[in-house]
Amino acid sequence: MKNFNWGHGMVIALLAFIIFILSMLFLFPNGQKNSEMVTENYYEEELKYQDVIDAKGRADQLQEKPVYSQDKNGIKITFPKEYDNSNATVKFVLNRTDDQNLDIHKSVQLDMNKSFLIPAQVLTPGNYTLRLSWTKDKKDYRLDYDVIWK
């Protein structure tokens, strides 16, 4: 039997390192999931982000804010009862956190109860970010909610 020397130690260390790296690639493939950007126009939206910050600030100052609820029919967003929607436009974006193909973008009209419904048929179970934005009297407002649809 040959004596163990530093050359053998180097070869064993190198082989152990290679086995470690390969095991990381094959045992933990989570890094290969959909790694998509949240939006296609990232840089253009970044330049407009101060408007988003201002809209969120205005929405945070509201006494009563729109709220969302879930049931078997879908996700219902309800505005406060005293909200006058005669000169308002309401938009929502429902971003799926793991697959942008499941995103939903819509402009909606509020019904007589000052609410609207995102039907369950267009939703798939998972995590969403609901971005609710509306313009009232030429002022923008925006609220973001984390939603888990089951």
Side-chain angles (χ1 to χ4, degrees):
M1 188 164 166
K2 265 187 151 182
N3 290 340
F4 186 80
N5 62 26
W6 68 271
H8 295 119
M10 291 288 288
V11 169
I12 291 172
L14 185 58
L15 287 174
F17 180 71
I18 290 171
I19 290 170
F20 171 73
I21 295 297
L22 290 176
S23 68
M24 285 292 155
L25 288 174
F26 295 112
L27 294 178
F28 303 105
N30 292 340
Q32 297 173 359
K33 280 188 177 177
N34 293 347
S35 56
E36 302 168 340
M37 291 181 76
V38 173
T39 178
E40 292 292 320
N41 304 323
Y42 174 78
Y43 295 107
E44 291 83 2
E45 288 189 20
E46 183 69 26
L47 294 174
K48 294 187 283 186
Y49 200 70
Q50 185 60 46
D51 297 337
V52 172
I53 292 171
D54 295 342
K56 284 183 176 183
R58 278 190 287 278
D60 285 339
Q61 293 173 0
L62 293 174
Q63 294 295 322
E64 289 189 62
K65 299 172 181 59
V67 294
Y68 80 93
S69 60
Q70 298 183 40
D71 61 20
K72 63 179 172 45
N73 298 322
I75 299 173
K76 184 176 186 177
I77 291 90
T78 307
F79 279 76
K81 293 294 180 201
E82 67 274 351
Y83 182 73
D84 175 25
N85 63 339
S86 58
N87 62 349
T89 57
V90 178
K91 298 177 188 171
F92 75 90
V93 175
L94 203 55
N95 284 105
R96 180 63 183 255
T97 55
D98 61 348
D99 188 357
Q100 77 179 35
N101 296 324
L102 300 174
D103 289 357
I104 303 168
H105 306 263
K106 290 265 186 188
S107 293
V108 294
Q109 292 292 327
L110 300 179
D111 61 17
M112 293 189 319
N113 296 326
K114 300 203 169 51
S115 63
F116 66 92
L117 180 73
I118 304 169
Q121 294 86 350
V122 300
L123 300 169
T124 57
N127 297 331
Y128 289 91
T129 300
L130 172 62
R131 294 190 171 107
L132 181 64
S133 58
W134 68 98
T135 303
K136 176 89 171 108
D137 299 326
K138 298 183 181 178
K139 291 183 181 176
D140 293 332
Y141 298 86
R142 178 171 155 175
L143 290 172
D144 293 353
Y145 300 103
D146 292 327
V147 178
I148 299 174
W149 179 254
K150 297 182 180 178

